[in-house]
Amino acid sequence: MTSSRSPRFAARIERWPIAGAFTISRGSKTEAVTVIAEISQGGHTGRGECVPYPRYGETPEATLAALRAAQRALRGRPGREGLQRVLPAGAARNALDCALLDLEAKTRGQRAWELLGRAEPRACTTAFTISLGTPEAMAAATAKAANRPLLKIKLGGEGDAERIAAVRKEAPESELIVDANEAWTAADLEHNLAACAAVGVTLVEQPLPAGQDEALARIRRPVAVCADESVHDRASLEGLRERYDAINIKLDKAGGVSEALAMADAAQALGFEIMVGCMVGTSLSMAPAMLLTPQARFVDLDGPLLLAKDREHGLRYEGSTVYPPEPALWG
């Protein structure tokens, strides 16, 4: 048994095959590469998982190195309050923040939301992602998921109007949100938004590149627009009010569930709707994000559904309904 005075840290890279491939405007992948942080103390082990994102210059190896450096800095005093000083927002801090919260919950015999004074998460509907492809390929994938109430459609620029029309034809009853992953331009923005509005899309996520999204403030937006790559933590919220109607909070961007919850509170105070999103990872990545679902208009936590196999004690999914984690998984 680990001494209560001497926490033991561990970190490792894991690889999880994706069922088929996951494709967005920036490329395609066939496996989810995650980094795990573990902290053991007093007979308990807290775990956190992150997904390093190349879009922000992160790699699994660099994230692992950052975790190990942070663990040395925190050794002997592993508290969540010190993480902000030791690590910047990003994947590494997320894994460590979630591991520390999991350890605290297990040590105190409480659930994570009770420790934080937050609302208990309930079963909710998650989006299911349709990867980017030709209109025909996306229509075929949509036909297999047409019974799901909320679909998230990955778009990629040229031909997106045809893609979204093909998807809507196969899923006439589903609520649709689309994610362009920064692939549109100011020149095609209004045309593509009109095409989305024509088929009843509810939300368009990150149509323009981060830092090049000023055009959103100059047009009438016929569909609500959500910031993803343009928003990271609380400090980035205020400048987005004229351009976006909603924000996508991801733990890997915010640097952990602690900052993500504070960010959700700040965003609501500014009048933003909230989406809680994810990278492609296992249920250990999704479980802490469930704490944000009581505040979210849109929940996009389908990462494990895209994997060939999830980890043991994973979240329970019944169709598109996802249930809060059991203590054996996290929190």
Side-chain angles (χ1 to χ4, degrees):
M1 179 179 293
T2 304
S3 168
S4 61
R5 296 182 180 179
S6 303
R8 179 172 55 83
F9 296 90
R12 63 183 180 275
I13 296 172
E14 295 184 346
R15 299 179 184 274
W16 297 84
I18 291 172
F22 179 74
T23 303
I24 65 173
S25 63
R26 284 187 286 271
S28 183
K29 61 182 181 180
T30 57
E31 67 175 4
V33 183
T34 70
V35 181
I36 308 301
E38 293 182 342
I39 306 173
S40 299
Q41 189 173 31
H44 302 285
T45 296
R47 301 186 300 165
E49 175 180 291
C50 68
V51 183
Y53 196 19
R55 168 65 177 79
Y56 305 125
E58 296 176 331
T59 67
E61 294 76 18
T63 300
L64 190 63
L67 275 174
R68 288 171 173 164
Q71 289 166 357
R72 288 192 293 272
L74 290 169
R75 189 171 296 279
R77 46 185 178 87
R80 288 182 294 117
E81 63 281 351
L83 279 182
Q84 302 273 348
R85 298 189 299 272
V86 173
L87 283 170
R93 196 175 80 190
N94 175 36
L96 201 49
D97 183 63
C98 292
L100 286 165
L101 181 56
D102 186 34
L103 176 62
E104 185 178 354
K106 289 173 177 172
T107 300
R108 294 179 179 237
Q110 293 180 278
R111 299 310 307 268
W113 52 87
E114 295 173 328
L115 284 174
L116 297 173
R118 311 297 295 206
E120 179 180 357
R122 305 288 184 179
C124 57
T125 297
T126 179
F128 181 80
T129 302
I130 303 297
S131 285
L132 175 65
T134 65
E136 295 77 16
M138 295 180 73
T142 301
K144 297 176 182 178
N147 63 326
R148 294 182 179 273
L150 179 62
L151 296 177
K152 179 172 177 174
I153 314 304
K154 291 290 186 178
L155 298 180
E158 185 177 353
D160 279 349
E162 291 76 20
R163 291 184 178 100
I164 195 62
V167 164
R168 172 54 84 195
K169 183 177 180 181
E170 297 298 332
E173 302 300 324
S174 300
E175 183 176 15
L176 301 182
I177 55 180
V178 305
D179 185 2
N181 283 116
E182 305 179 281
W184 294 357
T185 68
D188 62 26
L189 175 63
E190 290 183 272
H191 169 75
N192 285 334
L193 285 176
C196 290
V199 297
V201 168
T202 301
L203 187 74
V204 174
E205 193 178 344
Q206 198 65 46
L208 299 176
Q212 303 175 38
D213 53 4
E214 301 88 354
L216 289 167
R218 299 195 299 265
I219 65 169
R220 185 188 70 83
R221 300 190 294 270
V223 180
V225 179
C226 177
D228 183 358
E229 286 84 355
S230 288
V231 65
H232 294 263
D233 54 15
R234 282 172 287 176
S236 59
L237 287 173
E238 183 66 36
L240 303 179
R241 297 178 70 181
E242 301 302 317
R243 285 170 273 177
Y244 294 97
D245 308 289
I247 63 163
N248 187 343
I249 301 177
K250 294 177 179 175
L251 270 58
D252 282 313
K253 288 191 303 176
V257 68
S258 300
E259 173 63 23
L261 287 166
M263 186 179 174
D265 293 341
Q268 284 190 320
L270 290 171
F272 290 108
E273 286 194 309
I274 293 172
M275 172 189 286
V276 52
C278 68
M279 312 301 285
V280 183
T282 78
S283 283
L284 186 56
S285 282
M286 310 302 129
M290 287 293 295
L291 272 64
L292 283 92
T293 59
Q295 294 172 271
R297 164 65 176 87
F298 301 97
V299 174
D300 180 24
L301 298 177
D302 65 341
L305 298 179
L306 306 177
L307 301 178
K309 181 183 179 182
D310 194 9
R311 69 173 65 249
E312 189 177 7
H313 305 299
L315 292 177
R316 178 160 62 102
Y317 289 87
E318 292 181 359
S320 289
T321 301
V322 57
Y323 291 81
E326 296 296 331
L329 174 66
W330 184 86

